[in-house]
Amino acid sequence: MDVSTPASGPWLIVGLGNPGPEYAMNRHNVGFMVADLLAERIGGKFKRAGKAQAQVLEGRIGPVGPAGRRVVLAKPMSYMNLSGGPVNALRDFYKVPVGNVVAVHDELDIDYGTLRLKLGGGDNGHNGLKSMTKAMGADYHRVRFGIGRPPGRMQVADFVLKDFSSAERKELDYFVDRAADAVECLVTEGLERAQSAYNS
């Protein structure tokens, strides 16, 4: 597949996170935050997707009318470690090629707020990606939202399941907005254009 231009057909944009209010502001849930903002921009509400154990919203991104890209936004409701099953069920149902799947997720090895977009690759210990790759292979797009490394001797599992700090929250809306912009650019203009505009 030529990764410089978007493929035809619908796109499946997956925000990774954990369901439930106790996780809502966790670093691990930044994928949900980006998906919620994209839903707001589309002007729709998430609905439960039958047997897929996910919340979904169908809409279009990009130019108004038929030129817009058809997208399915999804938030798996299976908890992070089991994201692959619901995502693959949605991919089958909507007939989305693996190359048109975008996972939006937190990334430990990138500074807070920094974005990196790529196609394929490893999971870098991220259990949501690990589950997705096991379910459908690794050739999907990733929008990696940097959260930085845990301070001192804090365990990774504790760090990702903590809320963003008060200092981080001052910039969080801006960074989530930028990540949503990056997803839209990826879907409408292709990976290379999105990387040159948003990779830092």
Side-chain angles (χ1 to χ4, degrees), residues 60-140:
R60 288 188 179 272
I61 282 177
V64 175
R69 293 274 173 188
R70 185 177 160 229
V71 298
V72 179
L73 287 179
K75 297 193 296 183
M77 294 287 114
S78 56
Y79 291 96
M80 182 71 83
N81 298 5
L82 300 172
S83 299
V87 173
N88 207 35
L90 291 172
R91 192 181 69 78
D92 285 345
F93 181 79
Y94 289 102
K95 298 178 172 53
V96 178
V98 174
N100 276 28
V101 176
V102 182
V104 186
H105 64 92
D106 58 303
E107 179 64 62
L108 284 161
D109 287 336
I110 303 175
D111 290 340
Y112 172 61
T114 300
L115 294 177
R116 298 274 168 78
L117 287 76
K118 70 173 187 172
L119 175 67
D123 56 57
N124 202 24
H126 192 288
N127 288 328
L129 297 183
K130 194 177 294 182
S131 180
M132 283 182 60
T133 297
K134 185 177 179 184
M136 63 185 191
D139 294 330
Y140 54 91

Side-chain angles (χ1 to χ4, degrees), residues 166-179:
S166 56
E168 288 169 333
R169 281 201 295 272
K170 289 176 183 173
E171 297 181 292
L172 183 59
D173 286 348
Y174 168 76
F175 289 139
V176 168
D177 192 68
R178 191 165 181 270

